[in-house]
Amino acid sequence: MEDTTGSNPQSLGFTEKLKSWLSWSWTYICFIWFGMVLIMIYVLWSPLKLQETRKYMIAYSRLFQIFEWWYFRKYGTSFIEQVSVSHLRPLLGGVESSSTTGLFSSVNGETEPRPSVSECKVWRNPLNLFRGAEYSRYTWVTGKEPLTYYDMNLSAQDHQTFFTGDTQQLRPEDAVMQKAWRERNPQARIRAAYQAIEMNHECAAAYVLLAEEEATTITEAERLFKQALRIGKNGLKYNTGKDINLLVYIKRRLAMCARKLGRIKEAVKMMRDLMKEFPLLGMLNIHENLLEALLELQAYADVQAVLAKYDDISLPKSATICYTSALLKARAVSDKFSPEAASRRGLSTAEMNAVEAIHRAVEFNPHVPKYLLEMKSLILPPEHILKRGDSEAVAYAFFHLQHWKRAEGALNLLHCTWEGTFRIIPYPLEKGHLFYPYPGCTETADRELLPSFHEVSVYPKKELPFFILFTAGLCSFTAMLAMLTHQFPELMGVFAKAFFSTLFAPLGFFADKMESFMPSSFWHQLTRI
């Protein structure tokens, strides 16, 4: 367990920035060295100087071959390949750009393969905000777009699949709505919704779109959702999959409206009724909405009951499940927890359980603690998240930071223990401890889901070992000295003499002092020996 409570956040931030700057500058020194060698070849390329150039090139190539062999033996990969893939490829545009087709999340969370993120599943954010009442207000105030086009395109695909059903049996208003979801311009979507209502006043999907995008307050959104619910209940007599999906979506958003408007008990009842009425729709993760509302009520026994059902080894995990479990265990001991006392007497059983729960949560999603500890600024959560990624961490911390703050000492316990997880899994991409190895595709997918002004959290950090950076710098310095010596031998000779005379000046001064103190016969006897 690490005790970092006494550290100064400002000094830590400066140290981290300095380390990252040095790492960045030294990373590219080997490429500067390569450029200098090319320049030297150009300068020295003549019949008279070809022999010297060949000698230098042979020396440099042998040195770099030895270094490459050592690096491959130690790390199992080429140094040039690692630096090229990790650092040069993003700079040269090697990361595939966002596409409007490819990874479209369906209702059950399954995804179609996409070249850049084929291993990753993108899930609908269970607690996603309202575009008109929340996301748009952020844009009005800051001038920044909180949602990426890729994220909104996924939502459009979700709505098309969820609300329109079989394209062979589309009613005219459904065809208009299917086109409305695909519109990129919000005003065009709203106009299409009104057009659908003109064609059929009982078009519930159109009222859903207006509630999501045109309503500028939660109260107005709730009014439109209630209107859509009345229409949806009338349409349920047809008992089609589209009608059931629409009804579930509306009821869930109404429960979220009640939660945002402070009617939390009403929201909890609506969520429980929804889960009881449609038990097979567990993949919609309505229980995550319920957990957040119960935490707001501080009904911790009910939270534990929900976790007992959904924190099961056979069910998929999420940051909400893992960190809520850790919060409950931390809350039981955090009010009396002291790092100094724990280091003296050791951890009690309850404290050990809390620490293990925190380690489990951090292993599942290592990005969350920095947001909970406010070491990294939060942004509005996206409409889709990548489990174990930075997008999921943003979504979880945005809604649950207040619950961690409410539990006295819970954040202090998290601050003291979360980094210990990385000692348990030193190579997260190769093996896991309680979960599968950490996926390597999260950074690419998160960059598509999160806005460009947000600094995406990357795990594990792509940092080269210090010795590799030092070796690259040494090789570069050697190449520079060789080129300067060859081009300006007299000047470099003067410089070398001045450098070494300055370097050995203290030694000469010390020898003169010793000679003045020692009798001359003593040095004569030493020379005879």
Side-chain angles (χ1 to χ4, degrees):
M1 184 179 65
E2 294 189 6
D3 178 17
T4 56
T5 53
S7 57
N8 185 351
Q10 272 193 335
S11 63
L12 280 175
F14 175 77
T15 307
E16 287 297 319
K17 286 181 180 178
L18 183 62
K19 282 175 62 180
S20 65
W21 183 84
L22 287 174
S23 177
W24 179 88
S25 60
W26 279 86
T27 299
Y28 299 101
I29 280 183
C30 62
F31 296 101
I32 297 172
W33 174 36
F34 183 72
M36 289 172 61
V37 171
L38 293 179
I39 293 171
M40 186 179 68
I41 294 173
Y42 176 78
V43 172
L44 304 180
W45 192 265
S46 67
L48 297 176
K49 299 176 181 177
L50 185 58
Q51 192 65 29
E52 291 88 335
T53 305
R54 187 178 301 155
K55 289 179 182 178
Y56 282 118
M57 289 301 299
I58 292 173
Y60 297 151
S61 61
R62 290 290 182 269
L63 181 63
F64 196 78
Q65 283 173 0
I66 294 171
F67 167 67
E68 272 283 291
W69 173 84
W70 173 86
Y71 188 86
F72 183 82
R73 288 291 300 271
K74 184 171 179 63
Y75 295 98
T77 184
S78 166
F79 173 72
I80 294 178
E81 180 184 359
Q82 179 181 346
V83 174
S84 300
V85 171
S86 303
H87 300 280
L88 283 186
R89 188 165 173 253
L91 292 177
L92 298 176
V95 177
E96 297 180 23
S97 59
S98 302
S99 173
T100 59
T101 59
L103 186 62
F104 291 122
S105 168
S106 62
V107 174
N108 61 2
E110 294 181 355
T111 58
E112 299 173 13
R114 176 187 176 89
S116 60
V117 287
S118 58
E119 302 172 41
C120 298
K121 278 188 176 183
V122 177
W123 300 72
R124 183 81 176 175
N125 181 4
L127 296 165
N128 66 303
L129 305 177
F130 295 85
R131 285 192 187 175
E134 292 171 306
Y135 288 121
S136 294
R137 293 170 75 89
Y138 177 84
T139 304
W140 297 338
V141 172
T142 65
K144 297 178 180 178
E145 289 290 342
L147 296 175
T148 64
Y149 177 61
Y150 174 68
D151 190 17
M152 292 190 289
N153 200 28
L154 293 181
S155 297
Q157 293 292 320
D158 288 343
H159 293 146
Q160 283 180 298
T161 307
F162 212 53
F163 299 148
T164 56
D166 187 3
T167 56
Q168 301 296 326
Q169 303 174 355
L170 284 181
R171 295 170 293 187
E173 63 271 19
D174 290 336
V176 172
M177 287 307 301
Q178 191 174 48
K179 181 183 177 183
W181 298 121
R182 290 199 301 263
E183 290 286 353
R184 184 168 185 177
N185 189 321
Q187 295 304 317
R189 289 195 292 270
I190 293 171
R191 285 195 299 270
Y194 278 116
Q195 181 184 348
I197 292 174
E198 288 177 4
M199 299 173 70
N200 182 2
H201 291 289
E202 300 293 300
C203 182
Y207 286 102
V208 168
L209 189 147
L210 294 177
E212 291 284 354
E213 306 218 17
E214 189 184 39
T216 55
T217 64
I218 300 297
T219 304
E220 187 181 350
E222 184 181 41
R223 179 184 62 79
L224 290 167
F225 274 123
K226 284 181 177 178
Q227 196 167 351
L229 178 63
R230 178 185 58 78
I231 298 171
K233 284 182 176 178
N234 294 335
L236 192 60
K237 60 187 177 184
Y238 300 107
N239 203 28
T240 63
K242 178 192 75 113
D243 295 326
I244 293 175
N245 291 344
L246 190 60
L247 189 65
V248 171
Y249 183 89
I250 294 169
K251 286 186 173 182
R252 179 185 194 162
R253 293 303 259 177
L254 279 171
M256 294 174 70
C257 286
R259 162 68 183 91
K260 291 174 185 293
L261 293 172
R263 305 195 308 270
I264 305 171
K265 290 185 178 179
E266 179 186 340
V268 167
K269 184 180 183 304
M270 294 172 70
M271 292 172 192
R272 289 190 186 278
D273 292 343
L274 193 56
M275 293 167 66
K276 192 178 297 183
E277 188 178 358
F278 302 100
L280 298 180
L281 293 179
M283 65 278 189
L284 295 178
N285 297 322
I286 301 173
H287 60 275
E288 295 195 10
N289 299 83
L290 179 61
L291 282 172
E292 196 280 325
L294 290 171
L295 285 171
E296 182 63 23
L297 288 175
Q298 301 185 48
Y300 296 111
D302 292 336
V303 172
Q304 187 61 59
V306 175
L307 286 177
K309 182 178 180 181
Y310 289 97
D311 193 4
D312 186 85
I313 193 170
S314 62
L315 297 175
K317 298 294 180 290
S318 67
T320 300
I321 293 290
C322 294
Y323 277 90
T324 302
S325 178
L327 173 60
L328 291 190
K329 292 180 180 178
R331 176 181 165 273
V333 298
S334 59
D335 57 335
K336 299 177 182 176
F337 176 77
S338 167
E340 294 80 12
S343 62
R344 286 196 307 269
R345 59 171 169 78
L347 294 173
S348 65
T349 304
E351 289 173 338
M352 184 63 73
N353 290 336
V355 171
E356 288 176 355
I358 289 174
H359 285 176
R360 171 180 179 257
V362 174
E363 181 183 352
F364 182 83
N365 193 316
H367 309 283
V368 173
K370 286 190 175 181
Y371 293 108
L372 292 180
L373 297 172
E374 298 180 272
M375 300 164 65
K376 205 164 184 279
S377 58
L378 271 173
I379 60 170
L380 295 186
E383 292 184 336
H384 289 80
I385 59 172
L386 181 69
K387 288 194 175 181
R388 307 188 75 178
D390 191 34
S391 51
E392 184 191 35
V394 168
Y396 172 79
F398 184 86
F399 293 100
H400 288 262
L401 175 58
Q402 57 181 328
H403 306 315
W404 280 83
K405 286 184 174 181
R406 189 180 293 125
E408 184 182 353
L411 288 175
N412 178 47
L413 180 60
L414 176 69
H415 178 68
C416 295
T417 57
W418 73 280
E419 290 181 325
T421 312
F422 307 127
R423 290 195 294 269
I424 302 173
I425 43 170
Y427 303 104
L429 297 179
E430 299 172 11
K431 63 177 182 177
H433 180 58
L434 299 173
F435 299 100
Y436 288 110
Y438 191 79
C441 59
T442 57
E443 180 184 358
T444 304
D446 280 331
R447 289 190 189 282
E448 295 185 341
L449 291 172
L450 296 168
S452 58
F453 58 81
H454 173 71
E455 183 183 352
V456 174
S457 177
V458 179
Y459 175 78
K461 281 227 170 195
K462 296 180 177 68
E463 291 183 353
L464 296 175
F466 172 76
F467 184 72
I468 300 300
L469 302 177
F470 175 77
T471 307
L474 186 62
C475 293
S476 303
F477 184 67
T478 306
M480 182 182 68
L481 284 181
M483 186 181 72
L484 292 175
T485 304
H486 195 278
Q487 284 296 101
F488 312 104
E490 295 181 3
L491 183 62
M492 289 300 293
V494 173
F495 174 78
K497 287 179 182 178
F499 173 76
F500 283 110
S501 62
T502 306
L503 183 66
F504 291 110
L507 187 61
F509 176 78
F510 179 75
D512 291 340
K513 288 293 182 182
M514 289 291 293
E515 189 173 354
S516 62
F517 280 114
M518 296 289 183
S520 57
S521 58
F522 175 77
W523 297 110
H524 179 68
Q525 293 295 328
L526 283 178
T527 54
R528 290 184 61 183
I529 293 173

